[in-house]
Amino acid sequence: MSETPVHQPDVKTAHQDLHSGQGARRREHPGRSRNPVIKVADLAWLEFEKPDLERSEIFARDFGFQVAARTESELWLRGTFAGTPCMVIRRGHTSRFIGPAFRAAERADLDRLARATGSDVRDSDAPGGGKAVHLLDPSGFPLRVVHVGEQLPALPEQRPLLLNFGTDHRRTNATQRPPREPSRIQRLGHVVLETRVFAQALNWYLDTLGMIVSDFLFLDGQRDRGPVMAFIRCDLGSMPADHHTLAMHLGPGTGYVHSAYQVTDLDSIAAGGEYLKERGYRRSWGIGRHIQGSQLFDYWRDPDRFMLEHFADGDLFSCDVEPGWAPMSTSGLAQWGPPATRDFLGAGPSPQRIRDVVQALRGDNEMDPARLLGLLKAARS
């Protein structure tokens, strides 16, 4: 007896086809340099200035950092993994982001980089010492490439919870009671920057630091003008690396957007978020799961209004994965979770944002009315 096939209706979602399996079209950006100067191995740390180090330390501990070193003028923060610190906060008159430090794979890379850029190899002031090359990227961000001397030892971890799945019962006669405590930061994952010279800055990071693109985003109807955002990873060859260590997008301003710090699992994100909420900190957006990078996320504002992210379970790509291409949209930011907030999107018409737009449209950069309108449309889509 034959069976009549049952046709299921096509299910369409807001995220269908947002990641292109076909990759770049002919003559589009390849997402990597043919002959980079060096290939950095990872982010080392981020540098900030803030006037109140005591307040910064309180938030840092509540967010899940450990203190690696503290003086009257500097606060070095770390995660539980062995390696370098995650962040240094120096005492300054105003709160501002200074720039990132990237970790060189080998000490000889610093000499090669210094010769290619006309720079010097200097002593590093990080805990554990080492050497560094100081550079300026096309957006104007000061950055360092460092080779550390002595690495920080590992610290105790938050253990992931043992989960039951369907008929796979790994936990019996035992309850789950994750403590209400700070998420324990493991490591620095990535930093996101806004720039008015996106194409120039992108090529500089690929050519100079040997990074490669995991995903490009383009504006609706403007793909022929090239991408406006890139998720960029380190090229570790066959060893998988984070989907993005650096992300950049075109915008009217030049500055820090957010930085992300890995924690153990979803329960660590959620319990740590409850801990932050009880202490009066403000969630910017979350909890959810991203599309590009796939990581679980939760975004918070520190007392100086810098945005920081807890994340877990991110994608890892080896060097043979080519870039994906997708249209930029707010609905394409997450697979699930609450709608992206105006705070996360930076959509509030602040006086500084208005000044940024005016300066960008008048300046010699990649922002023009069509790009600006495309970015505004993407924020509403």
Side-chain angles (χ1 to χ4, degrees):
M1 180 177 177
S2 63
E3 294 182 353
T4 303
V6 176
H7 297 285
Q8 297 293 335
D10 291 335
V11 178
K12 295 191 179 293
T13 72
H15 317 305
Q16 189 167 355
D17 296 327
L18 281 181
H19 188 287
S20 168
Q22 287 71 45
R25 296 172 180 171
R26 186 179 180 185
R27 296 180 181 174
E28 283 189 317
H29 200 299
R32 61 187 70 201
S33 174
R34 290 184 177 180
N35 188 28
V37 178
I38 65 169
K39 294 183 178 182
V40 293
D42 203 352
L43 265 176
W45 61 81
L46 303 178
E47 302 194 12
F48 294 83
E49 281 186 358
K50 297 183 179 182
D52 192 336
L53 293 190
E54 289 70 28
R55 184 177 69 174
S56 297
E57 181 176 344
I58 291 171
F59 172 79
R61 291 185 183 275
D62 287 343
F63 193 73
F65 292 106
Q66 306 291 321
V67 174
R70 174 71 195 270
T71 69
E72 283 298 312
S73 59
E74 291 184 349
L75 173 64
W76 289 86
L77 303 173
R78 63 161 299 175
T80 58
F81 285 2
T84 64
C86 296
M87 182 188 298
V88 57
I89 305 174
R90 307 184 199 278
R91 193 182 300 277
H93 294 297
T94 60
S95 295
R96 65 190 186 107
F97 174 66
I98 303 300
F102 291 87
R103 181 169 60 85
E106 300 177 357
R107 169 63 180 82
D109 286 343
L110 298 187
D111 297 321
R112 188 178 306 112
L113 184 63
R115 287 194 300 270
T117 59
S119 306
D120 299 320
V121 179
R122 309 179 191 178
D123 290 333
S124 172
D125 59 355
K131 297 292 183 179
V133 173
H134 293 239
L135 302 171
L136 198 68
D137 81 358
S139 303
F141 291 112
L143 65 88
R144 305 186 195 191
V145 179
V146 301
H147 188 265
V148 298
E150 182 179 350
Q151 292 196 350
L152 298 171
L155 297 176
E157 293 282 344
Q158 275 177 329
R159 292 186 177 181
L161 297 185
L162 192 63
L163 303 180
N164 289 330
F165 298 98
T167 59
D168 182 8
H169 299 156
R170 305 181 184 185
R171 177 178 52 84
T172 58
N173 299 329
T175 60
Q176 294 279 39
R177 299 292 186 268
R180 189 69 59 83
E181 62 181 3
S183 302
R184 204 167 301 175
I185 301 298
Q186 295 175 325
R187 64 183 180 96
L188 168 62
H190 63 260
V191 63
V192 180
L193 305 175
E194 179 177 329
T195 175
R196 299 172 183 171
V197 289
F198 169 79
Q200 185 181 353
L202 170 66
N203 290 333
W204 187 89
Y205 279 96
L206 305 191
D207 293 337
T208 308
L209 303 187
M211 306 183 81
I212 55 180
V213 175
S214 298
D215 276 290
F216 281 122
L217 300 184
F218 57 88
L219 294 176
D220 184 38
Q222 298 187 34
R223 181 166 180 172
D224 59 331
R225 295 190 62 184
V228 292
M229 185 166 188
F231 297 86
I232 311 165
R233 69 187 185 275
C234 296
D235 182 356
L236 304 183
S238 61
M239 181 183 299
D242 285 338
H243 173 272
H244 55 285
T245 298
L246 169 67
M248 292 190 301
H249 69 80
L250 178 66
T254 297
Y256 169 96
V257 179
H258 75 259
S259 52
Y261 304 86
Q262 181 177 290
V263 299
T264 302
D265 58 12
L266 179 58
D267 277 281
S268 176
I269 292 174
E274 291 300 303
Y275 184 91
L276 288 169
K277 185 171 65 175
E278 289 171 353
R279 278 150 184 78
Y281 299 110
R282 195 179 82 180
R283 174 179 273 126
S284 179
W285 181 37
I287 298 170
R289 186 181 282 277
H290 279 307
I291 292 182
Q292 278 82 18
S294 301
Q295 67 266 33
L296 297 161
F297 65 82
D298 195 19
Y299 293 91
W300 293 85
R301 292 283 185 182
D302 77 0
D304 297 281
R305 290 201 46 78
F306 289 105
M307 192 189 302
L308 292 85
E309 175 190 1
H310 284 142
F311 82 93
D313 190 34
D315 291 339
L316 299 170
F317 287 177
S318 59
C319 68
D320 54 338
V321 176
E322 296 295 329
W325 286 73
M328 177 181 278
S329 68
T330 295
S331 66
L333 290 173
Q335 301 178 43
W336 57 262
T341 63
R342 289 177 62 83
D343 179 75
F344 174 81
L345 296 171
S350 66
Q352 181 59 52
R353 199 61 172 168
I354 294 171
R355 286 193 293 270
D356 287 342
V357 170
V358 172
Q359 292 173 2
L361 293 177
R362 289 177 176 175
D364 182 15
N365 54 65
E366 297 170 30
M367 284 296 298
D368 57 36
R371 284 304 212 192
L372 179 60
L373 290 174
L375 290 169
L376 292 172
K377 180 180 177 181
R380 297 191 296 266
S381 61

